[in-house]
Amino acid sequence: MRRTLIAGNWKMNGSLASINELMNGIKSGLSDVTNADMAVCPPAVYIPAVRELIGDAHIGLGSQNVCDQASGAFTGELAASMLKEFDCQYAIIGHSERRSLYGESDELVARRFAMAVESGLIPLFCIGETLEERESGVTEDVVSRQIDAVINTQGVEAIAKCVIAYEPVWAIGTGKTASPEQAQAVHAYIRGKLAALNAEVAEKVQILYGGSMNAGNAAELLSQPDIDGGLIGGASLKPEDFLAIGKSA
Ligand code: PGA
């Protein structure tokens, strides 16, 4: 049985004051979240502070990216070993904002994925199509290509070491959520594609949905058989909304 994971992607939001408030808010309501694991991915500079704020609360910690190299002359990048020193368990990899705004290719994303796994981080591996791609009927081809970049370099077994986040680009930050049926169809496609290669990997891997998931639509999305949680942007910045999503699992 796959456990539900609700992970917050704070993106480039917050301040020392606001993260204090946010973490204290999340911690104060955490005991009501019984059917999901919760995790937060703060901006990297706040990871040490958030780690302290988590204390011994059952909240996972993740970064929003990780370098594909171990160390050295890679200005602006973060090594997996550094993230591990601050108890990060997860690293978001291949978020659509990284792909579209900063030009990260499938190949680079796959290399980042490999470094995360090698270092013991769990990639929150983001895939998803743009509106144009959906409208031209190539959604399955796009997510397939994005997953193949990892499978072709690291084998299908590597997928068992990550959490997939299906995030249709047109639903991210737009308030336009995929319907439960639309999301489930792509999740089922992804699981089916994996099952054709390795049934055990397909059964085990958690596939999260991301894209305007909120307190109002989470229950229906999370009740779909192949939706195993959510990667939450905007709604993860409000403790009551983030907790409500966790409680609806
Ligand atoms: P959103 O972001 O919930 O604000 O749409 C999701 C994400 O980008 O991970």
Side-chain angles (χ1 to χ4, degrees):
M1 190 61 200
R2 295 180 298 270
R3 181 129 173 108
T4 299
L5 173 64
I6 303 296
N9 173 11
W10 296 359
K11 309 192 180 184
M12 198 174 72
N13 292 296
S15 64
L16 276 178
S18 76
I19 64 169
N20 251 287
E21 218 173 290
L22 176 51
M23 287 310 298
N24 289 328
I26 295 171
K27 283 201 302 190
S28 69
L30 198 61
S31 59
D32 297 330
V33 179
T34 46
N35 286 328
D37 293 328
M38 305 294 279
V40 292
C41 301
V45 72
Y46 295 134
I47 285 173
V50 171
R51 175 211 204 192
E52 291 304 313
L53 287 163
I54 289 174
D56 55 15
H58 186 62
I59 302 172
L61 180 60
S63 66
Q64 296 178 13
N65 212 343
V66 67
C67 189
D68 61 324
Q69 305 291 325
S71 68
F74 303 101
T75 302
E77 290 285 326
L78 286 165
S81 60
M82 299 170 187
L83 298 168
K84 292 286 290 178
E85 279 191 298
F86 289 91
D87 297 329
C88 285
Q89 295 135 267
Y90 300 101
I92 297 174
I93 312 269
H95 190 278
S96 72
E97 286 148 21
R98 299 297 320 170
R99 293 178 188 265
S100 68
L101 302 174
Y102 298 97
E104 293 196 12
S105 63
D106 290 339
E107 292 69 33
L108 174 58
V109 170
R111 289 202 305 275
R112 292 187 188 275
F113 184 114
M115 183 55 82
V117 167
E118 191 183 310
S119 312
L121 290 167
I122 300 169
L124 292 176
F125 174 41
C126 299
I127 57 175
E129 82 289 359
T130 62
L131 184 59
E132 200 186 352
E133 288 164 339
R134 172 159 288 260
E135 286 174 347
S136 45
V138 295
T139 296
E140 294 182 354
D141 299 337
V142 171
V143 297
S144 196
R145 188 200 74 222
Q146 291 168 329
I147 295 175
D148 283 342
V150 170
I151 293 179
N152 293 341
T153 50
Q154 297 151 62
V156 67
E157 294 75 19
I159 299 292
K161 297 178 182 147
C162 83
V163 172
I164 294 174
Y166 168 60
E167 300 204 304
V169 179
W170 48 273
I172 296 177
T174 57
K176 201 176 160 201
T177 321
S179 70
E181 297 72 30
Q182 280 175 320
Q184 166 58 26
V186 181
H187 284 233
Y189 168 76
I190 295 166
R191 209 179 297 285
K193 171 187 168 68
L194 296 171
L197 299 168
N198 185 319
E200 213 178 307
V201 170
E203 192 49 38
K204 180 175 173 229
V205 69
Q206 290 163 298
I207 308 178
L208 314 187
Y209 167 79
S212 300
M213 194 190 267
N214 58 40
N217 59 31
E220 222 191 325
L221 284 160
L222 294 172
S223 69
Q224 302 300 312
D226 289 296
I227 301 185
D228 307 314
L231 183 56
I232 320 296
S236 73
L237 299 170
K238 297 188 203 112
E240 60 284 5
D241 289 4
F242 190 52
L243 288 164
I245 295 171
K247 277 185 264 184
S248 63

